[in-house]
Amino acid sequence: MSASVVAPARSSQLLQKCPTGIAGFDAISRGGLPMGRTTLVAGHAGAGKTLFALEFVLNGAAKLDEPGVFASFEETPADLLANLGGLAFDAPALIEANRLRLVHVEIDPDDLVEAGEYDLEGLFLQLHVAMDEIGARRLALDAVENLFAGFSDSRRLRRAFRNLLGWFRGRNITTIVTTEHGVQTLTRHGLEEYVADCVVSLDQRVEGDIATRRLRIVKYRGSAHDVDEFPFMLDHGGVSVLPTTSASMHHAVSDELVSTGIPDLDAMLPGGIYRGGGLPAW
Amino acid sequence: MSASVVAPARSSQLLQKCPTGIAGFDAISRGGLPMGRTTLVAGHAGAGKTLFALEFVLNGAAKLDEPGVFASFEETPADLLANLGGLAFDAPALIEANRLRLVHVEIDPDDLVEAGEYDLEGLFLQLHVAMDEIGARRLALDAVENLFAGFSDSRRLRRAFRNLLGWFRGRNITTIVTTEHGVQTLTRHGLEEYVADCVVSLDQRVEGDIATRRLRIVKYRGSAHDVDEFPFMLDHGGVSVLPTTSASMHHAVSDELVSTGIPDLDAMLPGGIYRGGGLPAW
Amino acid sequence: MSASVVAPARSSQLLQKCPTGIAGFDAISRGGLPMGRTTLVAGHAGAGKTLFALEFVLNGAAKLDEPGVFASFEETPADLLANLGGLAFDAPALIEANRLRLVHVEIDPDDLVEAGEYDLEGLFLQLHVAMDEIGARRLALDAVENLFAGFSDSRRLRRAFRNLLGWFRGRNITTIVTTEHGVQTLTRHGLEEYVADCVVSLDQRVEGDIATRRLRIVKYRGSAHDVDEFPFMLDHGGVSVLPTTSASMHHAVSDELVSTGIPDLDAMLPGGIYRGGGLPAW
Amino acid sequence: MSASVVAPARSSQLLQKCPTGIAGFDAISRGGLPMGRTTLVAGHAGAGKTLFALEFVLNGAAKLDEPGVFASFEETPADLLANLGGLAFDAPALIEANRLRLVHVEIDPDDLVEAGEYDLEGLFLQLHVAMDEIGARRLALDAVENLFAGFSDSRRLRRAFRNLLGWFRGRNITTIVTTEHGVQTLTRHGLEEYVADCVVSLDQRVEGDIATRRLRIVKYRGSAHDVDEFPFMLDHGGVSVLPTTSASMHHAVSDELVSTGIPDLDAMLPGGIYRGGGLPAW
Amino acid sequence: MSASVVAPARSSQLLQKCPTGIAGFDAISRGGLPMGRTTLVAGHAGAGKTLFALEFVLNGAAKLDEPGVFASFEETPADLLANLGGLAFDAPALIEANRLRLVHVEIDPDDLVEAGEYDLEGLFLQLHVAMDEIGARRLALDAVENLFAGFSDSRRLRRAFRNLLGWFRGRNITTIVTTEHGVQTLTRHGLEEYVADCVVSLDQRVEGDIATRRLRIVKYRGSAHDVDEFPFMLDHGGVSVLPTTSASMHHAVSDELVSTGIPDLDAMLPGGIYRGGGLPAW
Amino acid sequence: MSASVVAPARSSQLLQKCPTGIAGFDAISRGGLPMGRTTLVAGHAGAGKTLFALEFVLNGAAKLDEPGVFASFEETPADLLANLGGLAFDAPALIEANRLRLVHVEIDPDDLVEAGEYDLEGLFLQLHVAMDEIGARRLALDAVENLFAGFSDSRRLRRAFRNLLGWFRGRNITTIVTTEHGVQTLTRHGLEEYVADCVVSLDQRVEGDIATRRLRIVKYRGSAHDVDEFPFMLDHGGVSVLPTTSASMHHAVSDELVSTGIPDLDAMLPGGIYRGGGLPAW
């Protein structure tokens, strides 16, 4: 057990934001995902987790001068390229220009556990090589459940997940990790969301035959954000979040795709503050 | 653990579609099932899973010049032929013309597991023989639960299921795998839907004494699709899906049975985009 | 693992129906139960499973020239005769005329499992003797849960249940097997309904103090059937199902008790086909 | 495994009824409980199970010339006498007159299980002595859960419970066994209700601060009965069931306490037969 | 296994009541708790269980000439005294006057279980000393869950709990035992309420932001009682139950705090008896 | 097992309150948290637990002359400082002035359990050092679940948690411990809330796309408090609770931040006392 008491210091290290370039999302998140930290994107099958993570990486690589790595446990690069065919990105060109890497990770469970503990070094090495080749600033790790499936010791699992996130933070890379819903929990093991710095939930509900996709920022350490559920859609333009709250609509109108700083949030604080909906929450 | 970083390449391998010939389904799926990949059809007993898979194979064999294999764990070929008696297909003729094979797979659990891992080679051999005889382009594997029943290690199960799907993809055969619902999950083990490329859910709900069958495309990697629930019926004409959304109705009117490409979707995008219902989703 | 590829053959072996003689049921099932196959009748305690199975056997023995065996794990023949006292059947006379046998099966769990597998030979022998004595064409096996209680390996259970059904089919005897509901599942183990060819669910719901019995055909391989829930009652006339849908009422009026073929269903297809209710489903 | 094929016999052994003397109950049960068989009375704590069973025994002893034994696992005879103090029965006089016995059974779990099987001989001996002393015709076994608590093998449990019921039947004594509800099931183990011949459920629901007690006959082998829920109350007059259905009200008005046969039910069949409520069910 | 057949005796030992002095509760319970027996008070954290038990003991000690012991597994006497500071009782004076004892029981789990059975002698000794010092007539045992936590054998647990209650009864002391709710059950293990003579449930529900406390007498062996839910509040005057039913309101108006006998209940029986609410139930 | 019988003593040790300085909370809690005791703050991911605990410590350090320690299992001091950047506190200055310490505790599970018991000495040492350096009066322990994850023996867990709370009490430090919700329980293990002296639940519910944060004081030993749910918000001003009940609004208007005593509660007791909402409860 180790503890570190902070030495007095005045260096104000404010949390920076990393814009996703996903229409509408940067408005409700007040500028994007936490820079250099890990965001968990959770949802059921077909919720759009992979596309959300892909677009985050592709936007960085194509438009925001932030090369990125997309690592998948489920799909091969060829599969991903085929899936991306309908989108407006020229992924092969980005790969050729050393701005994008698609990595397919295959897990051998016997390699993961050593002496009762998770050994993630093999995974880290693979990611490091890909990240290093292109000077990656963004990373997506799709279907992380493959890493932790069948692991029942909740304390060690929590530690392994924290180690994973710590490795990302040590490299100062902005990361999305996608994860599956559990039966009654936001994530499979019901604890990943407590460890992560930011959590986005994607949902697709059917009411009276009509399916509606909804996105919600569940948690965002160190930042104000909208707390409501927002409808979103997936089409050939990628993910589009509809910031339905009036306060946010001004942001939705302007294109936030190339903004890098945090928008002045004070100006958009509406008058009524008793209802949590549509307000900048911490 | 192995990883493959994609070498730069510009060969655009767009996802192709394989029309099912099932009335209405090709409209809401924008052309059919993902070609060369596996679609999971999930439902409770009596939901119509087997008939959906049968019609996919029979339509291919009889009308679309794509010979097919229907492999069942539950029913013998004689049973299937009796069940098919009421439909408009001449299955014996298709078998005689080497356009259809009905395979009955009997599982001996002791043969499946070897050294703690699934050994599916025996199954693959049986399927290979049948597929090879007729040059099959389509495959249905009915009641796959028989393969994985009683297997509790979720990580190994996930890998075995991925191996199964990988084998199909390696043969570039368009496949339907039917599976049972779990108590609170879309599939028995609650993870098959995350691994599969496309997931179709069949449901039969009773409300006020009246039962209604509904079909929903839960997930479709790399393709836009309708996300709503659509009523369908089973009768002597087989499965008929009713694309109730106005945008889709144009497709329902035209016969998509012989179409092979992907319909131009842009033209059918309705004006209101905030509601997910009836819109082409990714 | 063995597989059989069907040799080309044109002998159309259409599914035949076996009328139950139960008022209303033959209408909604389009002629009765699948001949030579097994139907699962599932319900909670007091749902009327035993009476449904009894009437199926007694109607066959008394009116349809199909001798039958009723085998029970719970009740002795004397108990059954006492229970039957209020009905319109002269069961003792049918027994004397070699048209009916009541069998009480007592299970010794230690005899059932051998080398990790179910050994049902003892049960089969008992049934064979009774069936052989009277040339039985119908069989009911009441409270089959007694056979499988405490058996937790779902794969072996599935195989044992399939063996049981296979034995019946090999003897070309039309069979009803009654089974108990599970807590959240149609059957105890939640898998019997997937193996069976036909599934009928009996229910008794209490709404606002009023209890109503309802019957639903959940599944019927190879046959169209009504899919709605139908109210039914148990009284001295036995089971009576009320086919409330207008389309079916014509059938309810006519006496289907002696019909053997499948009614022409096309003529009764109502105009509105989008609702599954009351329609002939597969 | 043994099986008995009924020898042809015409002796019609109609099910006889045993009136409970509980106001209203004999009307909705068409004469009382099944004579010589066992009825399960299930309910949550405070539902009135013990009082129902007590009144059945006391009415038999005091008014119907049927001496009875009340055996409890929870309460001593002194406790029971104190609890009975407020009722209209002179229990001590009945005991003195050899018409009533109160038995307190204490279970030592180590004595119950022998070689993996339940050995109920000790319990049987205790009951036999008490029953023999007074020539008992009625028996109540309160809180049978004490017998089976902690027994997890559902097949052996089912057999033990059947043995218990078989012992009662062999002595031709009309028996009530009270049992506790499970979390989601009618009984603790969810199977006792399938084995018993008759099942009565007592319930106490709170809706909008108001608690209402309700009684329902869930199952009654070999007899028509009302299937609805009926309100009942517990007061110094004991249990009173309110047969709210009009058809039954005629019975409620007349005093059924001394009737022994089965009322002619045909005369009371109302016109509308499609609703199960208030109708004589089997 | 031992059984005791009651010898004929006419000594009518009517159940006596012990007034709680808690405003309103003595009215709905028809005089208080069962004298010399144990009442279970169940509720979630913050429900008011401890305060209910405390006030029962303090009222006895301060106003009804019944010295009492309050034994807690969670709080020390100093904690309790601090908590009591806001109430109208001078607890230190009562302790000094030998009318009150506060006991803090610390459990060492290793001391509790011996040879697979609970050994409660240590607890009994502690309680005996405190009870003996002041001639206690009342006892409260707070947070009994501490005693049985982690004990999974439901039969032995039932027996241990019965032993605990038997020890209290042998000393003719009126006892309250507080216990925690389980997830879906009234008590942690879901069986304590079946063993206890009287059960009171305390609840605090939130509906539309508003929390309301409610009290319900779930079970009361040998006594009529109100069965509805009654709102109650906790403030500096202690627990106050609001007998909202008109029949009970007369009692609520009068101060029952110093009454010792049982109120004449017959006079307050309202006319309408079909609804259980507000009626004296058994 | 040890027990301590309180010796007669009149020293009235009334429960003191520790103001949180959190807007609105001190009003509904009648002065703040229990001084020298532990309050449990429970909630799902993103509920605002950490910010609530941080503000409690920061307010004490910056405005109420009570230095404080914030110990986290999840976040490093650098992370916390970054997260705090947007708030109105100058945390680095407080650290430099020896009024604040941020401690990051890393748990090695193997160090925690010794001989089957929790050994918290290592944790205690770390906390003691930080507390001692600044003479801390307040302590927050964030994400205590890390301490108890994977610990399944509920009795030992209860004891360990009580030991933890006892250690805090022995140092007379006012403490907040944050904890995660379980699936169906207020806390992970469903027992922490029974041991703690005060429990605050933070919730964020989504109804019709709108998310609302709500705070409720579930339990408060020894103190009156509001029992309703109150909306609250998180923004750059920190946590703000809206005491919506009229009775409390007077308090909300006045600034309670520097008050130390308990407000006179009698004056604010509204007229209607039958509804628990908005009333001072114990």
Side-chain angles (χ1 to χ4, degrees), chain A residues 69-253:
Chain A
V69 170
F70 187 93
S72 172
F73 293 96
E74 301 282 12
E75 297 173 272
T76 65
D79 293 339
L80 285 169
L81 285 179
N83 292 349
L84 283 171
L87 289 182
F89 293 97
D90 187 350
L94 291 170
I95 293 170
E96 199 169 355
N98 280 331
R99 306 189 64 77
L100 173 68
R101 283 296 178 272
L102 303 179
V103 178
H104 182 230
V105 189
E106 253 185 86
I107 298 289
D108 181 341
D110 297 331
D111 290 356
L112 271 178
V113 185
E114 194 159 301
E117 293 294 322
Y118 257 101
D119 180 3
L120 300 174
E121 290 308 313
L123 170 66
F124 292 158
L125 183 60
Q126 300 285 344
L127 295 178
H128 176 76
V129 166
M131 286 159 61
D132 201 48
E133 277 182 19
I134 60 171
R137 301 286 308 275
R138 300 185 175 204
L139 172 66
L141 192 59
D142 198 29
V144 74
E145 177 55 23
N146 286 277
L147 210 55
F148 298 119
F151 202 66
S152 62
D153 181 329
S154 64
R155 185 180 309 178
R156 287 208 169 84
L157 178 60
R158 191 183 285 260
R159 186 163 49 176
F161 192 67
R162 210 161 40 199
N163 286 349
L164 182 69
L165 269 52
W167 190 84
F168 297 147
R169 184 170 295 191
R171 270 132 207 89
N172 196 30
I173 192 161
T174 310
T175 307
I176 284 181
V177 165
T178 75
T179 184
E180 307 166 1
H181 280 326
V183 173
Q184 295 186 63
T185 48
L186 186 64
T187 53
R188 275 276 161 179
H189 299 278
L191 53 84
E192 298 90 327
E193 67 265 41
Y194 289 97
V195 181
D197 287 304
C198 180
V199 178
V200 176
S201 174
L202 304 183
D203 194 23
Q204 187 176 204
R205 274 170 298 182
V206 180
E207 287 157 2
D209 303 352
I210 306 300
T212 316
R213 298 179 183 279
R214 300 197 181 273
L215 176 151
R216 190 162 78 91
I217 301 176
V218 175
K219 174 184 180 181
Y220 201 136
R221 283 185 182 151
S223 167
H225 62 88
D226 275 328
V227 295
D228 292 337
E229 282 193 337
F230 295 93
F232 73 100
M233 54 180 303
L234 308 178
D235 61 12
H236 295 85
V239 180
S240 306
V241 181
L242 282 302
T244 50
T245 315
S246 59
S248 311
M249 288 303 267
H250 293 282
H251 285 264
V253 168

Side-chain angles (χ1 to χ4, degrees), chain C residues 86-88 233-238, chain D residues 30 224 247 251 262-271 273 278-282:
Chain C
L87 290 182
M233 56 180 301
L234 308 178
D235 62 11
H236 295 86
Chain D
R30 312 290 178 240
H251 285 264
I262 304 177
D264 183 333
L265 301 175
D266 295 347
M268 53 183 299
L269 277 170
I273 60 170
L279 297 185
W282 200 263

Side-chain angles (χ1 to χ4, degrees), chain A residues 1-15 37 117 153-156 158-159 162 169 184-186 189-191 193-195 197 199 205 214 216-225 227-231 244-245 265-266 269 273-282, chain F residues 43-46 49 51 73-79 81-83 85-87 90 92-93 95-96 101-113 118 122-123 126 130 133 145-151 180-181 183-184 188 204 206 209-213 231 233-236 242:
Chain A
M1 189 180 301
S2 77
S4 53
V5 179
V6 150
R10 281 193 174 275
S11 65
S12 174
Q13 298 175 306
L14 269 177
L15 180 70
R37 296 186 172 185
E117 293 294 322
D153 181 329
S154 64
R155 185 180 309 178
R156 287 208 169 84
R158 191 183 285 260
R159 186 163 49 176
R162 210 161 40 199
R169 184 170 295 191
Q184 295 186 63
T185 48
L186 186 64
H189 299 278
L191 53 84
E193 67 265 41
Y194 289 97
V195 181
D197 287 304
V199 178
R205 274 170 298 182
R214 300 197 181 273
R216 190 162 78 91
I217 301 176
V218 175
K219 174 184 180 181
Y220 201 136
R221 283 185 182 151
S223 167
H225 62 88
V227 295
D228 292 337
E229 282 193 337
F230 295 93
T244 50
T245 315
L265 300 176
D266 295 346
L269 276 171
I273 61 169
Y274 294 158
R275 189 181 60 82
L279 297 184
W282 199 261
Chain F
H44 282 297
K49 302 180 298 291
L51 201 59
F73 292 97
E74 301 281 12
E75 296 174 273
T76 64
D79 294 339
L81 284 179
N83 292 349
L87 289 183
D90 187 350
I95 293 171
E96 198 171 356
R101 283 295 177 273
L102 303 179
V103 179
H104 181 231
V105 189
E106 254 185 84
I107 297 289
D108 181 342
D110 297 331
D111 290 356
L112 270 179
V113 185
Y118 257 102
L123 171 65
Q126 300 284 347
E133 278 182 17
E145 177 57 23
N146 285 278
L147 210 54
F148 299 120
F151 203 66
E180 307 166 1
H181 281 325
V183 173
Q184 295 187 63
R188 276 276 160 178
Q204 187 175 205
V206 180
D209 304 352
I210 306 300
T212 316
R213 298 180 183 278
M233 55 180 302
L234 308 178
D235 62 12
H236 295 86
L242 283 302

Side-chain angles (χ1 to χ4, degrees), chain D residues 129-175:
Chain D
V129 167
M131 286 159 60
D132 201 47
E133 278 184 18
I134 60 172
R137 301 286 308 275
R138 299 181 177 208
L139 171 66
L141 192 60
D142 198 29
V144 74
E145 177 56 23
N146 285 277
L147 211 54
F148 298 119
F151 203 66
S152 62
D153 181 330
S154 65
R155 185 181 310 178
R156 287 208 168 84
L157 178 60
R158 191 182 284 259
R159 186 161 51 176
F161 192 67
R162 210 160 41 198
N163 286 348
L164 182 69
L165 269 51
W167 189 84
F168 298 147
R169 184 170 296 190
R171 270 132 207 89
N172 197 28
I173 193 163
T174 310
T175 306

Side-chain angles (χ1 to χ4, degrees), chain D residues 73 75 77 79 82-83 85 90 92-93 101 104 106 109 118 126 145-146 149 180 188 209-211 234 242, chain E residues 2-6 9-10 13-14 37 155 158-159 162 169 190 194 214 221 227-229 274-275 277 281-282:
Chain D
F73 292 96
E75 297 174 274
D79 293 340
N83 291 349
D90 188 350
R101 283 296 177 272
H104 182 230
E106 252 185 84
Y118 257 102
Q126 299 284 348
E145 177 56 23
N146 285 277
E180 306 166 2
R188 277 275 161 176
D209 304 351
I210 307 298
L234 308 178
L242 282 302
Chain E
S2 78
S4 54
V5 179
V6 150
R10 282 193 173 275
Q13 296 175 307
L14 267 177
R37 296 186 172 187
R155 186 181 309 178
R158 191 183 284 259
R159 186 161 52 176
R162 210 160 41 199
R169 184 170 296 191
Y194 290 97
R214 301 198 180 271
R221 282 183 183 152
V227 296
D228 291 338
E229 282 194 336
Y274 295 158
R275 189 179 60 82
W282 201 263

Side-chain angles (χ1 to χ4, degrees), chain F residues 150-165:
Chain F
F151 203 66
S152 62
D153 181 330
S154 64
R155 187 181 308 178
R156 287 207 169 85
L157 178 60
R158 191 182 283 259
R159 186 161 50 175
F161 192 67
R162 210 160 40 199
N163 286 349
L164 182 69
L165 270 51

